[in-house]
Amino acid sequence: MELSDLLLRYEAGETNFRGESLAGTDFSGTDLIGVDFQECDLSGALFVFSYLNRANFSHANLTKARLCGANLSQADLLHTNLQDADLHGAVLYGADLRYANLSLANLLDANLISTDLREVKLAGANLQGACLRGANLRFERRVYEGADLRGANLRNADLRGANLSGADLSKADLRGANLQEANLHEANLNSANLLGASFRGAFLTDARLESADLTSADLFDGKLQRADFSEANLTQANLSIANLTDAKLSRAILVRAKLKQARLNRADLSRADLRWAELEEAMLVEAYLGRADLRFANLTNANLVNAETSSANLSGATLSGTTMADGSIHEG
Amino acid sequence: METNTQSSELRGHRTLATVVFTDCVGFSARMSRDEDHTLDLIRRDLKLMQKVCEKYEGRVLKSTGDGLLMYFISAIRAVKCALEIQEKIGEATAVLSERDSLKHRIGVHLADMFITDTDVMGNGVNIAARLQAEADPGGIIISQTVYDVVKNGLQITTQFLGPRKLKNIDEVVPAYKVLLHPEEEPQDSLGLVVENLQNNKNQLRIRKLIYYACKNVWESDTNSLNSLDLHGLLQDLVKLAPNPNQLQNFLHSAVKTLSKPAEYGAIANLILAEAGRLYPATSTPVELDGSTTQVTAHREMPHVVSPEAETLYSRVAQTIERSSNLSRIKKLCYYVCRNKWESNPDQLNAVSMTTLVAEAHHLFPTAERLQTTLDRFVQTLSKSAEYQLVANTILQQFYPLYHSQAEAPASHTMQSPALPPQEPAASAPVEPDPSQICREVGTALEQEQNLLRIKKLMLYLCDRRWENNASALNNLNTESLVRQLYQIAPAGKQLEEALGSVVRTLSKPAEYGAIAHTILRHMTPLYPGYELPAAPAEAPPPAAESSVAEMSATQPAGSHQTPVAEPLFSLFDARLDIMRNANPLCAKILLFSALRGEFTFSYQDWLNLKAIDLDGLLRETLNQCRSYTDLEDLLYRAARKQPNPDEYVHTATRLIKSLRFFYVHGSIPVTVPPLVEDTDITPVDNSETRMAESTPTALQGLDEMTCQLANRYSNPDVADLSGKTQPDVPPVSEAIATSDWLVSSNPPSDPGVANNGAE
């Protein structure tokens, strides 16, 4: 179908263009609000700055399409193939992207506020600076798999309050991202780069963060119960008041980390490097500190009752008012 | 003891038997206090037990010193015996003084065990012993086995305690408490309520809510919730709310503070329906239908207030209203009562202080609770040290409310009112000692050469008033200032923190740092045990150099840690605002062409645009535009150059609007309505409402801005309302000087800047 033909029909009030083959067509700047492009072949099509609000692209093929600056708010993009598509600065506010394939797509600075992204494939996608507040990417047993964000670029992305439970973010780049109050329950963040990311008040319960780089990350008041931080780098990270009950921190690097009033009960800190860590008033009841390096750590008023500390290195640590493993309170 | 020598033809065999185990409450403690007398008492009681035991054809197998192990062939007789023992001892001790009476616990269990002449062995005995430990003083606990055997043959009232996990016993043992007196009936209803609540499918949430209502702590850990003692909690709840209506208000006001009020409202109604049984029949009918209307009305009419209470409230409110610090006191009261930080003076004025006092008193029936809540709320504020003093003032002013309750049996029968901890401080000036010191401190301060500044700072701390008039300052009595300061800061550490946080907001922090230290040094005698901060202690620092060093030593640490700097400035919020109101790509193109020259939509330009994100462009813009007019000029000029200027002028307007706050206030308020919505998003079942996020900026509240104060801490709301009219507000150009400080001092995003630069 010719473009002019299509636009005329749209002008006349027709919206149903299902199953058409429109590969490579240039729709740039057009107003196609509410258009129905279900199951269309639109690979390589151009939609730069087009108005596609509430359009329906379900099951359409949009591989390598250019949608920069396009407005796709509340559009239906279920099962849409957007591999390698360019959505730079696009508006996808409230769009339904369930099961969509966005692998390697460019979503730089895109507006993804309140989008439905369950079981979306975003592996290797560029989401730098994108805003995903209130987006839903959660895993639901027997219904939706977790979102696939492996190796995605999420630098400076705003994910505050987003639901990423069960999402796969392994090897993703989340440097400087805003993950405050986000839900990352059971998410996979293995080997992710989280340098300087903010997780204030976020939920990371049962999440996996093995070998992740959390240098200078802000995990203040984070809910990190049972999270696995094995071999993660948490140098200078802020973990004050965080709940790390039953968390796994073996071989984690926590040099100069702030752990004031953190709850580390029953946490596994074996072989962790806690030199100069600030553990004032931290709770370490029954924590496992086998061969942990606590040199020069500040344990003022911390509680180590029943913790396994026999092989921990505590030389140079500040222990004033610390409740030791045997229940005695360290003087001085 | 003679009991041990009882002989028997039994030479040791297995048999099914009922054992009764008694134990004296607090025996060793009593022994340690008065050995001889306690021994006399226990001999008397054990003798009585032995007699009763013989009467019911039981046999005393041995004595443990403070209790007996008895053995019966009949379970009914065993329970009868236990009952009679407790009754007899109860009757006997009713007329005796506490010193002359002992209380005993009894556990009864039926099991197959091995019996010899003088002892009985087996798991069953251990269970009886453990059950005994579970009993109330003067009470009896029987196991399920015993209960099943005796329930038809014996007229006893019991209360099911549920399966009990006993120490060192593998299986759980269902146990019953035998009620000795009919008046223990309500106790029974408590057990029923506990049982019903426990069997409810929402029992976890029920526990959460009750725990939250009683302890004001939101516990979401399932294990610790399950280990809670629902019995005790319900008893606390009943104590806190002595009638069903109060309970209803109490629960609903707790629910209001949660992020899932609808769900928890239902839970509250559930608890109400059950807990209604705990109140005497006259007041039992809790009308759940009426609950909704009543709850919405409760803000205005906290509860039926007696006229005496009303006058008391207005009296307290009047004293508070006389305080020059009223606005802060009111703000904090409002925050604590309504769980919302209100910095709009109109809104605040709409609520009378009396209402707030009544509400606060209703929400926090004890001084202790008021204090813990105040403390908790103050912690969420960015100026916690200063507001700690305000909280202290509130506690002091509220003192008569909690105090009078002790004498006047008001309508509410609360827990014995705990005295506010700073009570000694409140009454301190009456005592000769601190008052004498106050006078001495006052005289000593008068000798200081910087007296005017000292007074300025002290006045500011007490009254939130920055007085520049020298004669007005001279007229102030130094001693009374000292006394006031001591009253609102009863601990040295508090004074130190409050001084420190005020000084940081002043335009001459170094000079006033020294003044603060002088005040602290002079006031140290008032705080026994308080140690003056060591660093500049030796050199009384009128010299500017030493004080500069002192301040700069604290500053870098502060800039990294103070909650003030951090949540304030957030480019994320600005970006969200832009995303919501403009096309992100248009915004980028506009910024790009403004910063780098025209955007020609060429392939190369697209590549360049993709190389930088909006965040980076915004940072560059903020750095480049030193003033608000610069920003307007830059963006509008770029917009007009675009092929379709209308659209880009719109984008420019949006961008300027989103960035305006950085220029006008030196901070972006998190209180913009859409953002507040966002902070309320709480994932999963953690329903605790977070207030820290939505408040800190509002708290910049320097309702008392003067030119002495650095503008970066200015209150956006106040300035917004009165920016043009208020002569004290610093000119915008001054504020701009701080913008680069803001851009560069955002720790979490710093790496981002570095990376953008590298690309």
Side-chain angles (χ1 to χ4, degrees):
Chain A
M1 200 197 305
E2 287 298 308
L3 172 66
S4 51
D5 188 22
L6 187 145
L7 290 174
L8 275 173
R9 280 165 65 185
Y10 179 81
E11 282 288 300
E14 194 178 334
T15 51
N16 186 349
F17 302 100
R18 288 188 199 183
E20 298 281 356
S21 183
L22 295 155
T25 317
D26 186 353
F27 293 95
S28 292
T30 52
D31 174 347
L32 287 164
I33 290 174
V35 75
D36 189 347
F37 278 147
Q38 278 187 71
E39 292 162 45
C40 284
D41 180 10
L42 288 156
S43 56
L46 274 81
F47 288 97
V48 181
F49 285 120
S50 291
Y51 292 92
L52 298 160
N53 314 39
R54 297 206 179 186
N56 192 338
F57 285 98
S58 303
H59 294 277
N61 177 6
L62 281 157
T63 45
K64 297 197 177 182
R66 285 194 70 198
L67 293 135
C68 324
N71 192 326
L72 285 150
S73 54
Q74 299 182 322
D76 270 326
L77 293 153
L78 274 110
H79 290 283
T80 310
N81 188 349
L82 284 153
Q83 277 186 78
D84 219 359
D86 188 353
L87 287 146
H88 178 192
V91 182
L92 288 147
Y93 172 82
D96 189 346
L97 285 148
R98 281 175 290 162
Y99 309 105
N101 187 349
L102 288 145
S103 309
L104 298 169
N106 185 1
L107 288 145
L108 175 69
D109 289 313
N111 173 349
L112 289 155
I113 298 169
S114 307
T115 43
D116 194 341
L117 291 162
R118 282 174 289 180
E119 209 176 327
V120 78
K121 288 180 194 66
L122 279 161
N126 178 6
L127 285 148
Q128 184 170 347
C131 184
L132 287 120
R133 288 214 192 185
N136 184 1
L137 295 101
R138 76 184 212 200
F139 161 80
E140 282 172 41
R141 205 172 301 283
R142 286 190 292 277
V143 192
Y144 298 104
E145 296 286 316
D148 180 2
L149 288 147
R150 283 174 299 168
N153 173 4
L154 283 151
R155 270 155 68 180
N156 289 329
D158 190 350
L159 291 146
R160 184 166 179 165
N163 192 335
L164 288 150
S165 63
D168 189 348
L169 286 149
S170 53
K171 295 197 175 153
D173 184 352
L174 282 146
R175 277 177 282 173
N178 181 2
L179 286 148
Q180 292 181 29
E181 292 141 34
N183 185 348
L184 289 151
H185 174 71
E186 288 187 341
N188 180 353
L189 287 150
N190 289 348
S191 306
N193 190 343
L194 299 158
L195 188 104
S198 172
F199 286 92
R200 273 181 180 246
F203 290 78
L204 279 158
T205 45
D206 299 290
R208 283 152 59 201
L209 294 123
E210 291 158 52
S211 308
D213 185 355
L214 285 144
T215 310
S216 303
D218 186 0
L219 291 141
F220 182 90
D221 195 23
K223 281 74 180 170
L224 313 170
Q225 293 98 312
R226 300 171 300 280
D228 186 350
F229 287 94
S230 309
E231 298 187 46
N233 185 351
L234 286 146
T235 308
Q236 290 196 308
N238 183 359
L239 289 146
S240 301
I241 348 180
N243 188 344
L244 285 148
T245 307
D246 288 310
K248 208 171 162 202
L249 288 146
S250 76
R251 286 187 196 274
I253 303 163
L254 287 147
V255 177
R256 292 188 199 279
K258 294 182 190 70
L259 286 149
K260 277 179 203 161
Q261 294 182 16
R263 284 190 267 171
L264 286 151
N265 301 338
R266 295 185 301 280
D268 177 359
L269 285 153
S270 56
R271 299 196 185 87
D273 187 348
L274 285 149
R275 282 173 299 158
W276 294 284
E278 298 168 21
L279 283 150
E280 289 110 306
E281 293 174 52
M283 295 291 289
L284 287 148
V285 177
E286 290 179 51
Y288 179 51
L289 288 155
R291 295 213 64 204
D293 189 349
L294 283 150
R295 279 177 290 167
F296 314 107
N298 186 347
L299 285 150
T300 308
N301 293 330
N303 188 343
L304 287 156
V305 166
N306 291 335
E308 159 55 38
T309 52
S310 56
S311 54
N313 189 346
L314 280 156
S315 59
T318 312
L319 292 166
S320 72
T322 310
T323 312
M324 306 306 286
D326 56 5
S328 66
I329 293 176
H330 200 280
E331 303 285 327
Chain B
M1 267 214 165
E2 50 186 335
T3 47
N4 285 352
T5 58
Q6 278 235 344
S7 65
S8 161
E9 65 282 3
L10 298 169
R11 286 279 163 247
H13 63 273
R14 279 206 161 270
T15 182
L16 184 71
T18 310
V19 283
V20 175
F21 204 104
T22 83
D23 187 64
C24 175
V25 181
F27 184 68
S28 8
R30 295 282 293 260
M31 281 290 275
S32 70
R33 259 178 281 146
D34 189 352
E35 201 174 272
D36 287 345
H37 185 65
T38 313
L39 276 175
D40 287 344
L41 295 179
I42 197 76
R43 253 184 233 125
R44 177 196 71 197
D45 286 359
L46 293 185
K47 202 175 253 170
L48 184 138
M49 286 180 199
Q50 204 182 328
K51 237 186 239 158
V52 178
C53 175
E54 275 161 21
K55 177 176 158 196
Y56 287 101
E57 294 163 32
R59 211 150 55 75
V60 176
L61 286 172
K62 71 175 191 183
S63 160
T64 58
D66 64 338
L68 295 181
L69 175 58
M70 293 169 273
Y71 145 82
F72 293 84
I73 312 263
S74 151
I76 293 182
R77 288 209 182 114
V79 175
K80 271 187 178 165
C81 169
L83 274 168
E84 191 168 329
I85 289 173
Q86 290 295 29
E87 271 164 23
K88 280 222 161 126
I89 292 179
E91 276 166 29
T93 54
V95 290
L96 292 170
S97 71
E98 198 156 314
R99 191 175 166 271
D100 292 324
S101 56
L102 292 173
K103 280 196 185 292
H104 302 268
R105 297 190 177 95
I106 300 183
V108 187
H109 186 53
L110 166 68
D112 200 78
M113 38 200 127
F114 189 77
I115 294 185
T116 66
D117 274 2
T118 56
D119 208 349
V120 50
M121 281 162 281
N123 195 32
V125 185
N126 298 334
I127 291 176
R130 296 293 180 207
L131 280 175
Q132 160 273 118
E134 300 267 307
D136 296 330
I140 303 164
I141 300 266
I142 61 176
S143 65
Q144 176 86 49
T145 332
V146 177
Y147 176 79
D148 288 339
V149 174
V150 303
K151 65 182 170 196
N152 295 322
L154 206 57
Q155 281 299 322
I156 50 165
T157 27
T158 53
Q159 177 197 338
F160 184 54
L161 297 176
R164 306 293 275 214
K165 177 83 191 85
L166 302 173
K167 202 180 159 193
N168 292 336
I169 309 286
D170 281 342
E171 77 251 49
V172 284
V173 181
Y176 289 79
K177 178 173 161 186
V178 180
L179 300 171
L180 299 159
H181 308 289
E183 54 266 40
E184 274 189 73
E185 213 57 47
Q187 285 275 316
D188 188 20
S189 62
L190 181 64
L192 191 69
V193 171
V194 170
E195 206 184 321
N196 284 343
L197 289 180
Q198 264 168 350
N199 292 336
N200 194 292
K201 64 178 177 353
N202 273 323
Q203 67 115 347
L204 219 56
R205 286 190 161 181
I206 292 174
R207 279 165 184 270
K208 274 189 201 177
L209 185 60
I210 297 183
Y211 190 71
Y212 178 63
C214 293
K215 301 283 154 85
N216 228 334
V217 175
W218 190 259
E219 178 61 67
S220 43
D221 182 67
T222 319
N223 286 337
S224 44
L225 278 171
N226 279 329
S227 62
L228 288 178
D229 172 25
L230 209 49
H231 258 276
L233 281 178
L234 277 169
Q235 272 164 353
D236 284 355
L237 201 60
V238 174
K239 258 186 228 156
L240 287 167
N243 70 49
N245 277 337
Q246 283 186 16
L247 179 69
Q248 192 175 348
N249 286 339
F250 186 63
L251 286 176
H252 281 286
S253 55
V255 166
K256 278 220 179 80
T257 65
L258 302 176
S259 60
K260 290 183 180 169
E263 282 91 329
Y264 278 94
I267 303 287
N269 285 338
L270 226 149
I271 297 172
L272 276 169
E274 282 298 332
R277 298 171 209 256
L278 300 177
Y279 296 99
T282 44
S283 55
T284 320
V286 184
E287 282 160 39
L288 284 176
D289 316 26
S291 71
T292 38
T293 48
Q294 212 176 336
V295 169
T296 43
H298 117 272
R299 284 290 179 215
E300 285 72 51
M301 273 296 290
H303 48 100
V304 193
V305 205
S306 62
E308 309 95 77
E310 201 130 38
T311 49
L312 204 56
Y313 290 153
S314 60
R315 209 176 317 140
V316 170
Q318 273 165 19
T319 357
I320 293 175
E321 268 158 7
R322 275 200 293 277
S323 155
S324 50
N325 210 355
L326 170 66
S327 71
R328 283 196 168 191
I329 296 180
K330 204 164 182 181
K331 269 188 209 177
L332 189 57
C333 275
Y334 191 96
Y335 184 34
V336 168
C337 294
R338 312 273 170 101
N339 208 349
K340 176 170 177 268
W341 187 261
E342 184 58 71
S343 42
N344 181 347
D346 295 338
Q347 281 287 341
L348 279 172
N349 288 334
V351 187
S352 84
M353 197 61 223
T354 321
T355 323
L356 284 178
V357 171
E359 250 173 60
H361 186 229
H362 163 65
L363 284 168
F364 314 109
T366 69
E368 219 172 7
R369 282 174 59 91
L370 178 66
Q371 196 192 3
T372 46
T373 318
L374 278 171
D375 285 351
R376 203 163 50 83
F377 276 71
V378 164
Q379 289 312 308
T380 68
L381 302 179
S382 61
K383 291 190 171 172
S384 53
E386 288 171 60
Y387 273 94
Q388 186 60 55
L389 299 191
V390 178
N392 289 346
T393 318
I394 293 177
L395 272 169
Q396 253 171 48
Q397 304 287 11
F398 273 59
Y399 181 65
L401 292 180
Y402 300 113
H403 196 64
S404 71
Q405 234 166 44
E407 294 105 304
S411 52
H412 353 268
T413 43
M414 303 299 177
Q415 286 172 311
S416 62
L419 298 178
Q422 48 279 89
E423 193 252 330
S427 59
V430 188
E431 291 163 31
D433 202 15
S435 136
Q436 179 61 32
I437 302 175
C438 277
R439 197 167 309 137
E440 281 164 17
V441 172
T443 340
L445 278 172
E446 306 244 356
Q447 310 305 315
E448 285 288 331
Q449 56 189 43
N450 277 324
L451 180 61
L452 275 189
R453 284 191 163 180
I454 291 174
K455 278 183 167 178
K456 265 191 211 180
L457 192 56
M458 287 173 83
L459 183 68
Y460 184 69
L461 228 72
C462 296
D463 284 1
R464 296 286 124 201
R465 180 152 62 90
W466 193 260
E467 181 63 69
N468 280 320
N469 184 337
S471 62
L473 284 169
N474 278 329
N475 286 336
L476 285 169
N477 181 348
T478 322
E479 187 194 327
S480 73
L481 276 175
V482 171
R483 203 167 295 171
Q484 270 187 50
L485 205 54
Y486 178 54
Q487 267 188 25
I488 57 171
K493 199 79 201 158
Q494 280 182 352
L495 179 66
E496 184 190 327
E497 278 166 13
L499 279 168
S501 76
V502 165
V503 164
R504 271 195 289 275
T505 66
L506 299 177
S507 56
K508 294 180 182 166
E511 282 90 332
Y512 278 95
I515 302 290
H517 191 264
T518 315
I519 297 173
L520 214 53
R521 182 162 50 88
H522 280 288
M523 287 192 62
T524 315
L526 283 164
Y527 305 113
Y530 169 71
E531 274 180 40
L532 203 61
E538 265 66 81
E545 285 85 345
S546 66
S547 57
V548 167
E550 175 203 350
M551 291 316 284
S552 59
T554 54
Q555 213 67 329
S559 68
H560 209 74
Q561 291 170 341
T562 43
V564 183
E566 223 238 300
L568 271 192
F569 173 83
S570 166
L571 266 178
F572 281 114
D573 294 331
R575 261 164 54 199
L576 178 70
D577 202 39
I578 294 165
M579 291 254 183
R580 282 220 163 110
N581 297 296
N583 183 305
L585 192 60
C586 285
K588 280 185 77 174
I589 291 174
L590 182 64
L591 290 167
F592 186 89
S593 49
L595 294 163
R596 314 263 164 97
E598 210 181 331
F599 185 82
T600 58
F601 294 87
S602 66
Y603 181 72
Q604 188 55 45
D605 276 354
W606 278 115
L607 277 190
N608 289 340
L609 191 67
K610 275 185 193 173
I612 185 158
D613 60 7
L614 183 57
D615 188 72
L617 287 167
L618 288 174
R619 283 171 198 275
E620 262 184 53
T621 312
L622 285 169
N623 261 338
Q624 189 168 326
C625 300
R626 306 304 272 173
S627 75
Y628 185 58
T629 32
D630 281 357
L631 178 77
E632 281 186 321
D633 185 51
L634 182 79
L635 294 187
Y636 281 129
R637 197 138 38 87
R640 280 191 288 270
K641 275 189 197 153
Q642 297 298 321
N644 42 348
D646 286 355
E647 214 182 305
Y648 280 92
V649 167
H650 167 77
T651 311
T653 312
R654 286 310 321 179
L655 272 171
I656 291 163
K657 221 170 180 175
S658 303
L659 297 172
R660 182 169 172 267
F661 295 105
F662 294 93
Y663 291 97
V664 181
H665 312 299
S667 68
I668 193 157
V670 190
T671 40
V672 197
L675 298 184
V676 174
E677 270 167 40
D678 258 318
T679 45
D680 280 344
I681 294 173
T682 31
V684 268
D685 192 35
N686 194 299
S687 339
E688 183 168 17
T689 317
R690 312 250 344 117
M691 46 213 95
E693 271 78 22
S694 57
T695 46
T697 21
L699 311 183
Q700 291 325 297
L702 276 195
D703 22 34
E704 54 291 299
M705 255 203 334
T706 70
C707 37
Q708 278 282 353
L709 304 170
N711 42 43
R712 72 171 78 135
Y713 292 96
S714 61
N715 179 350
D717 293 336
V718 170
D720 214 17
L721 290 167
S722 52
K724 301 287 180 291
T725 51
Q726 208 172 323
D728 293 339
V729 174
V732 170
S733 60
E734 246 180 80
I736 286 133
T738 60
S739 68
D740 56 338
W741 163 78
L742 284 162
V743 176
S744 59
S745 71
N746 189 13
S749 332
D750 264 353
V753 183
N755 293 325
N756 288 332
E759 269 171 20

